[in-house]
Amino acid sequence: MRIPRQAARVAVLDPAGAVFMFRYDNEEVGVHWALPGGGMDPGETPLQAAGRELREETGWTDIELGGTVLCLWEHDFTRAGVPVRQHEHIFLAYGPRRETAGALRLSQAAEGILGGRWWSPGDMSEAVERLWPPQLPALLAAVRRDGPPAAPVELGHVPNGSTGTSP
């Protein structure tokens, strides 16, 4: 049985359309890349959680979240030995290309973050390691081509073994 968990993440795009992601190695799903974010605290809205998590994980305090939800999705993984089914809101934001605050390396390691990097559209299309959600390259290509979605794209439950499909 999986424990339900609510989470929020942020797809931060730089002026060239690259997105910042963190690398994880989870006992259940292995190595993968995910957007900054994490679990919601009691009483938080998804937007509040996304902003808090972005600040905590990157140190970036100047990224404004306008409330545009790129997509919603669910996935399974094991967190601290507990199997969870996580429902995520992924918000869209824009900011300058830069590194995370150096002082955060220890707290990132404690959260299972192995590193971070900016992914260009070309990098994403050639990714060897998993990207979460797997549909992220197609979602961001649509944003670059058509602008932010009028309504969140509903991805539903994405199995761990999925390589993704276009939205």
Side-chain angles (χ1 to χ4, degrees), residues 135-153:
Q135 300 89 339
L136 189 61
L139 291 167
L140 295 179
V143 168
R144 286 188 294 275
R145 182 184 62 245
D146 305 324
V153 177

Side-chain angles (χ1 to χ4, degrees), residues 86-123:
Q86 184 156 288
H87 176 79
E88 293 186 356
H89 287 71
I90 297 181
F91 291 88
L92 188 59
Y94 299 89
R97 186 179 189 120
R98 60 187 158 187
E99 298 304 315
T100 59
L104 293 174
R105 302 267 190 256
L106 289 176
S107 65
Q108 289 171 348
E111 291 291 321
I113 296 172
L114 305 175
R117 67 170 271 210
W118 289 91
W119 288 76
S120 71
D123 293 339

Side-chain angles (χ1 to χ4, degrees), residues 31-120:
V31 174
H32 63 281
W33 291 82
L35 301 163
M40 292 171 52
D41 288 340
E44 270 186 323
T45 67
L47 183 61
Q48 290 167 333
R52 176 185 52 75
E53 286 284 342
L54 182 65
R55 287 186 303 276
E56 287 176 2
E57 291 184 351
T58 66
W60 302 337
T61 59
D62 59 341
I63 304 292
E64 291 191 32
L65 300 181
T68 299
V69 179
L70 175 64
C71 67
L72 304 169
W73 78 302
E74 289 184 346
H75 59 95
D76 298 336
F77 72 106
T78 298
R79 181 179 187 277
V82 177
V84 299
R85 173 156 294 171
Q86 184 156 288
H87 176 79
E88 293 186 356
H89 287 71
I90 297 181
F91 291 88
L92 188 59
Y94 299 89
R97 186 179 189 120
R98 60 187 158 187
E99 298 304 315
T100 59
L104 293 174
R105 302 267 190 256
L106 289 176
S107 65
Q108 289 171 348
E111 291 291 321
I113 296 172
L114 305 175
R117 67 170 271 210
W118 289 91
W119 288 76
S120 71

